Amino acid sequence: MDTVVLASGRGSNLRAICRAIDDGKCKARIVGVVSDKRSAEALEFAEARGIPTRVLPLKKGDDRDQWNVDLTDHVASLNPELVVLAGFMRILGSPFLKRFPGRIINVHPALLPSFPGHNGPRDALDAGVRVTGCTVHIVDDGVDTGPIIAQAAVPVLPDDTPETLHARIQVQEHRLLPAVISRIAVGEIELNPLKMKAAHTDPSKYLSVPEV
Ligand code: GRF
């Protein structure tokens, strides 16, 4: 399954996906990595692996609509069956969402719908929850609001800082995201937003994602 990964940062999720592919546990092929940040470590990793990369920076004062069109056109030129947001810190505009309807997934460091936005681990600590985790969901036009595909729970420990908690969450992200991609690739998860919503009202349809 040809997959494009969008990443702005460290790229540990991209690495986890590639590890699962190398181990034969995920039948995906990364056909491109795109970033809004030239300095993203994800790009360095992708280049070292021979994956085509592209940087589309969005600076203050830039035309956001044009950036969205450029991003959409570039990703479309790679013909992906799936688009994965792995730490992509930009909100995608409607041209992008319309071009890949229901085929964009995101990994978020909290148990949505709790703690959407940029500070999932910090917000969970501030709220005093004892359990948080990560979520893989379909991207819609809200911020971290799309239908949930799978989640993994992580305990919050008494001495946690946002950093230690995030690190513990990432261990789960690195197992959950490749597992979801793998199941999409073999057709075990169908990216139909309506069916995803239905899964929430019918416990027999809850998705359990085995480790890859
Ligand atoms: C992850 O924690 C993900 O949930 C969030 O951004 C972070 C990206 O980490 N959306 P990495 O760049 O994959 O290491």
Side-chain angles (χ1 to χ4, degrees), residues 46-57:
E47 275 154 21
R49 224 184 130 89
I51 299 171
T53 61
R54 179 82 184 263
V55 188
L56 290 166

Side-chain angles (χ1 to χ4, degrees), residues 142-159:
V143 177
D144 304 320
T145 51
I148 291 167
I149 302 172
Q151 295 183 307
V154 169
V156 179
L157 302 182
D159 294 334

Side-chain angles (χ1 to χ4, degrees), residues 9-26:
R10 245 170 20 102
S12 67
N13 279 287
L14 171 66
R15 272 189 276 268
I17 298 164
C18 289
R19 212 163 31 240
I21 292 172
D22 292 346
D23 291 348
K25 292 174 177 169
C26 182

